[in-house]
Amino acid sequence: MPVPDSHSESVGSETALIAISGCVVRGHGIASGHADDSPYPTGSLALQLPHFRARGFDLTHFYPATLNVQIDARGFVMRNPTHHFVDVTWFADTVTEDFSFSPCQLGFRDRRYDGWVYYPHPETKPAHWKAPNIIEVITTWIDSITYGDALTLYIDPRQIDIVK
C-alpha cells in the first residue's frame, strides 16, 4: 500500500492514525540477541514471546527483534494500549516487568508494514535506558532497512500521545 502524503489516514470507520516522521537508530541489541554482551543469546524478545502468547497475545509471526525508531518529537506517552501485561517474569534471573503494546504501521519506501509499538515500562525494566523519543516497534522483516533510514510511523493517537 502506498504511503500517503497526508498527516492522518482513516483506518476503518473509527480510527485515524497520525503520521510521525522518524529515523531508524541502533538499539542495545538485547531484544534481538545481537549484542556481544547479551545475556540472552536468542534475544530477550524470543524469551518474552511465549509469555505474551500465554496471556492471549501472539506475536510469533513477526521478526523476533525490535526496530528502534527515533521520532521527530521530544517523546511519547503510552496512554491507552491495546495490550497491557503486568508482572511478566520472562527469565529466571530477572525481576518482573510490565509491557504495553499498541498497533502501528511503518511506512518505508512506498510500503506499509503492520506492527506493534513494544513498550517495556521503564519503571520495571532493569538496566537498559533509551532516549525518550525512541519508539521500539515489532514488525515483519523489512529487506534493506538500515540505521539512518527515514520512515514514517503511523500510530493511534487514542493510545499514544506524542510530546512535541
Side-chain angles (χ1 to χ4, degrees):
M1 168 189 293
V3 178
D5 292 328
S6 65
H7 183 66
S8 66
E9 173 176 303
S10 290
V11 177
S13 60
E14 300 176 20
T15 304
L17 300 181
I18 61 168
I20 307 295
S21 297
C23 176
V24 179
V25 296
R26 186 179 302 274
H28 296 292
I30 301 297
S32 65
H34 290 144
D36 292 336
D37 61 345
S38 176
Y40 322 109
T42 61
S44 61
L45 196 56
L47 296 170
Q48 294 164 2
L49 291 179
H51 296 277
F52 303 144
R53 187 173 48 249
R55 294 174 183 223
F57 184 48
D58 188 3
L59 292 163
T60 56
H61 59 286
F62 291 106
Y63 187 71
T66 61
L67 193 63
N68 291 270
V69 179
Q70 184 173 29
I71 59 171
D72 187 19
R74 288 186 331 186
F76 70 101
V77 176
M78 184 68 75
R79 182 167 41 124
N80 186 28
T82 300
H83 299 284
H84 178 75
F85 304 115
V86 177
D87 294 333
V88 178
T89 304
W90 57 270
F91 192 72
D93 294 334
T94 62
V95 296
T96 62
E97 290 184 61
D98 297 351
F99 296 88
S100 291
F101 296 88
S102 177
C104 68
Q105 293 181 335
L106 287 175
F108 179 68
R109 295 192 180 157
D110 296 326
R111 282 197 59 199
R112 286 255 187 125
Y113 300 87
D114 289 329
W116 290 89
V117 171
Y118 164 83
Y119 185 71
H121 289 254
E123 65 275 14
T124 65
K125 184 180 175 78
H128 296 289
W129 178 88
K130 67 179 177 23
N133 67 337
I134 305 268
I135 295 181
E136 291 183 85
V137 175
I138 297 172
T139 189
T140 57
W141 176 259
I142 301 174
D143 283 330
S144 75
I145 199 164
T146 190
Y147 302 125
D149 281 345
L151 53 73
T152 304
L153 179 62
Y154 297 90
I155 61 164
D156 183 342
R158 296 172 305 173
Q159 295 190 27
I160 299 175
D161 287 330
I162 299 299
V163 179
K164 296 286 182 178

